[in-house]
Structure formats: C-alpha cells, structure tokens
Amino acid sequence: MPRLVSHPDEVKIVTRRFGMGAAEIDRYIELGGYESAKKCLEQGPEFIINEMKASGLRGRGGAGFPTGLKWSFVPKQSTKPKYVLVNGDESEPGTCKDHLIFLHDPHAVIEGTVIAGLAIGAKTGFIYLRGEYRYLIEIVEKAVADAYAKGFLGKNIFGSETEFQVIVQTGAGAYEVGEESALMESLEGKRGVPRIKPPFPAVVGLYGGPTVINNAETIATVPHIFAMGGAAYAAVGSERNGGTRLFGISGHVERPGVYELPMGYNLKKMIYEVAGGVRGGRQLKAVVPGGSSTPVLLPSEIDLGMDFDQVGKAGSMLGSGGVVVIDDQTCIVEFALRTISFYAHESCGWCIPCREGTDWLKKSLTRFHAGFGTMKDIDNIQYLAENMMGRTFCPLGDAAAMPTIGFVKKFRKEFEDHLNGKPCPFAKHVEVALV
Amino acid sequence: MSTESLSIFSPQLAARFDALVEKYPLRRSALIPMLLYAQDEIGYLSDAVMEEVAERIGITTLDVRNVASYYSMLRFKPVGKYNVQVCTNISCMLRGAYDIFEHLQDRLGIGHKGVTADGVFSLEEVECIGVCCWAPALQVNYDFHDDLTNEKVDDVLASYRAKARSEQAEGGSAHA
Ligand SMILES: Cc1cc2nc3c(=O)[nH]c(=O)nc-3n(C[C@H](O)[C@H](O)[C@H](O)COP(=O)(O)O)c2cc1C
Ligand code: SF4
Ligand code: FES
C-alpha cells in the first residue's frame, strides 16, 4: 500500500481527505462531499465556468491548459451527445499522484466529473484508468455504484431533472493512450493511435460528440474549488497558476512521496526540505522536474518556482509534477538510455520520425553506453533528436526528443567520458530487455 | 451470443459480458475490457477467446487481434500462474530496480518473459507502473509490492509459492 507522507509546508486541498476513509461514500459526505455538485446544479453552467476561470486552475495532465477556458470551448448546442472524459491513464514515468487520488478520494473524481458535465451540458462521463490499476478500478467502480445508490448519479441527480451517468473504463497497457485523442480511440475499442487535430475534442471528440478531457487530478480539484471559492483557490498559488499541485518526488531523496504544495513552490526547498535532501548525504547531480519527458535541470538551475510559467522559462516543463531526483553516483548516459528506451517501446509506430527516431536513439545510446561511441555520435544523437521535434503526429515524438537533447547538451562531458572503448565511469550496466 | 452454454467463459463472466456490451453508446467500447477480463480467466488470448469476443461485439476476429496486439497487457501466450512484472523505469532504476530484476532472475532461474518449469512463475521487465514514489516496485498479476529489497522479494516469492502449493493441494483433493 502506497505510503502517505506529510510536511508542514503542504497546503492540503486535494489531499485533504487522504487517509480518512473517504472512499466510503458516507464518510465522504460527512467530510463535505457532494455539496459542490449540488451547488453547481443549482447555479448552472455560466456560474461554473466563471468560477473555474477565476480559480486559475490549469490542467494537471502535463500541458497546463486553463481548465475553465477548455470547458468554455464546448459548443452550447450540439446535435451529438457531449461527454466528459477523465484521463487516469497515468503512465508518464515518475508520476503516481492520480494513483493516490483514486485510492483515497475516488468520490472527488466522480463529483468533479459531474460538475464538468453540468458545465458543458453532458449526460455521460467516462473515467478511464490504466489497466495496471485494477485494484483502483475496483475502488472507483464501487464508489460509482454507491453514488448511483444515493441518487447522485443517474436519471435524476440529487432529485433534479438532470441526468448524469458515469462509466468506469479499464485500459490494457499503453502510455500513448494517455494522449487525449488516442484515449478516445481506445475508449471506442480501437488501437491507441492519435487523431489528427483540428478538429479538437471540444468540438469533435468521443463518438464524434463534443468532449472535455481532463486529467484525474484536475477533475479531483474541481469540487474543492467550489467549496472554497475560485478566487480563494487562485490565491494559494502563484501568478497565473492557481492553487496547489500534487508533486511526486522520487529517486534519490530521503523521503520520497507525493506532497501537495502551492504552485510556484521553490524546487530547491522541495528537494532539500520537503523530501529531506539527497539520500545518503550524496550530492545532487540533476533533476527531471515534471515526468520523464521534461528536460533535465542542473543543480545550478533549481532555485526555481515550480509553476508552468517559471519552469517553462527555465527551459523545461512542469509536466505531470513528477520530480525525479538524481544523485552524483548516477550515469547520465544510462539514465538517458533508459528514458529513450521507454519512448521507443511506447511509440505507437504511426509516424516515421517518432517510430524510427526513438529506435535509432535507443540503439545509438545503447552502443554509446557500452563504450563504442564516437565523438560524432554525440552530435548525431543531438541532431537526430532535434530533427524529431515538431515533426511528429502527436507530442510523444517531442516527449522523447526533448529529454534526450537536454541530457546531451547539459552533460556533454559525461558523454565524452564514454568514448572510444572507455568503460562507463559508474560501472553499472543497463541492458533494457524490453522490446 | 448470450446463452451461457455456448460460451467458453464461466457463467459469471459470460453474464458480465452480456451487460458490458450494452453499457456504452457503442458496443465496440467493451472490446478492451472484455479482452482483459477474458485473459484474467483463461490466462491468455487464445483463438477461441478472440473468436467469442469478436462474435459478442459483432466484429471480425482479425479486427480483435489487431486491436489486442496494440496493448502491452494483452498476450497471446500463457504465462506463469503468478506473473512477476518488475518496473525498471527511471524512478525504480535509481533505487536499484536492475538489482531486483537480476535477483529475481537468479531466484527463478528464468529471464525476461520466461516461465518456470512448474508454471508457477513468469518474469517480465515492464515500464512504469505508477508507484514511482515507493520504488523499486513490482506487480504480481494485479498486486503491487513496493519499497523492495532482495529480502522482501524473497518473502514475496515465498508467499506466492505457498499460495500455489495450497491451491494445488486443494485442487488435488477435490479431484481425488
Ligand atoms: C504521449 C502522451 C501521454 C499522455 N499521458 C497522459 C496521462 O497519462 N494522463 C493525463 O492526464 N494526461 C496525459 N497526457 C496529456 C493529455 O493528452 C491531455 O492533454 C490531458 O489529459 C488534458 O487534461 P488537463 O487539461 O486536465 O491536463 C498525455 C499526452 C501525451 C502526448
Ligand atoms: S509521434 Fe509517436 S506516438 Fe505519436 S503518432 Fe507518431 S509514432 Fe505514434
Ligand atoms: S518508474 Fe517504476 S513505478 Fe514509475
């Protein structure tokens, strides 16, 4: 069972009910649950969207798109049914926050889904969880059944004339399915190959109907916004970055875990104070700030506010909020190899720069790490990765190229140390068996 | 196909599938869950599984096979009774996942995608399983085991071995 952690700097909004038995519906109600949905049902779509805009909430799935704005793009009139789709595919290496939300507070996800549905005029919401999360799927399914039994879901939610149904769906193993249009394909019973955009999901999404798709943390935050008020939520965070975020700190720290901290919280403090510093008294070598696809930061770059804009300005991304901390005994070439191997494994194969590029990069880095690289290889790796950027059908190509470019640029010296038959200075050897 | 007697699945699963295909705006949306649940019961996606699923949804078996081949959890060959899936992705790697993977290879005497001779265990190196903050970690079928050390891995293996033995003993007496 995943361990819960705590730190005085945390501002517990989304994690407020963690460890309190809130997966049980009566307990959830006792803790104020479903009041926000009732309020939203009374107040109507315009109120919901205005409050969401005021909250400054930006999507927690990775890109940080303002949630209220996303909801406002859905056309009011539609001949086809509209849908809400909750993305719980959570497969970006370094990311395990949605896991805790489903485990400890599944009703927050359901309540958020209802509110999103009210905002856009949808009658059905889907909650899609990665297949590996079977025990969580069972928890969410039970929560949904309990919500039906109470009349919070169904033909007449909370005794009103409004209908809202929730369907829980399992995936079956595929990172790429986390991409929004690939997720819709998967939910339609197909291979997870992304769709061409435009049209965007808000106009043509699931089953051809207008669809709002949001990350599970984004959706779980929604009820709290209506409990505390949009402006109060916004005030917790930094400029243009409302509220808190669930940061999953993993790797070489003393106290890894998921911590809820205000947006804009300093990364250095996060590592050294909140997570207890680098494990075993070692030195920090690098930080991957937002899941495996975000470019690496050097120790000199971590005096940094962790919000979408500041991390972006520092040349990386806040991404999924998965902070991976790397100590000085780690081989960066090996780390880069393991990272690209993941993307090579997960590329859906639809477009050539991604399918071939990730494979080439994996092969070059494997050779390199084994000590058979040449000086020219270093440039080639960078050149290849740079030429994948922006030339792929979906952002997975960029997600693979960006970290690779970062590793080569920032740790060139370490790549050079592996040249011409020299063994890896860290003497560890990775042979990625995955194909 | 809704008559249980024609199904290769248990009556419970067949009934579940009858409901599942009606649950979505589109029948086909039931495909991936059905394949996974069928695999849970039968062990892998045999031709017979895919044929019945195809018929229940109303698509071709080829179509089913094409979709199934996309998803990493779906398999066309049997694995051990307990499929040990070790994450070696970055957060786990930093905390010794490759040592854990090696230790498992030694203990079980099999490599990536191998199955032990008695069919009790199979071993697989997998990508991130969403427990990065409690690394290193593995999954045995759907159960998570985190914060691993070699000793903890031995305990985990021992507990599944005992489970397999007791189930076998039970099965044996039932047949006797
Ligand atoms: C390759 C790829 C994988 C993704 N995986 C996930 C995921 O596992 N979970 C998620 O919420 N978003 C994921 N996303 C982002 C989604 O496409 C989408 O932007 C997001 O779910 C929108 O929700 P938000 O606005 O609440 O962030 C992924 C994107 C890409 C390109
Ligand atoms: S970029 Fe990669 S994952 Fe995305 S469509 Fe192309 S091949 Fe598939
Ligand atoms: S990296 Fe191993 S569980 Fe995420």
Side-chain angles (χ1 to χ4, degrees), chain A residues 281-303:
Chain A
R282 289 187 180 165
Q283 296 301 307
L284 181 69
K285 181 172 197 168
V287 183
V288 175
S292 62
S293 64
T294 60
V296 67
L297 296 173
L298 294 170
S300 58
E301 296 170 308
I302 64 166
D303 194 358

Side-chain angles (χ1 to χ4, degrees), chain A residues 169 187 190-191 207 251, chain B residues 24 29 66 71 94-95 147:
Chain A
Q169 180 79 341
L187 194 40
K190 294 180 254 172
R191 293 170 72 91
Y207 308 116
Chain B
Y24 305 90
S29 288
N66 179 41
Y71 295 91
L94 292 177
R95 294 181 82 94
D147 266 326

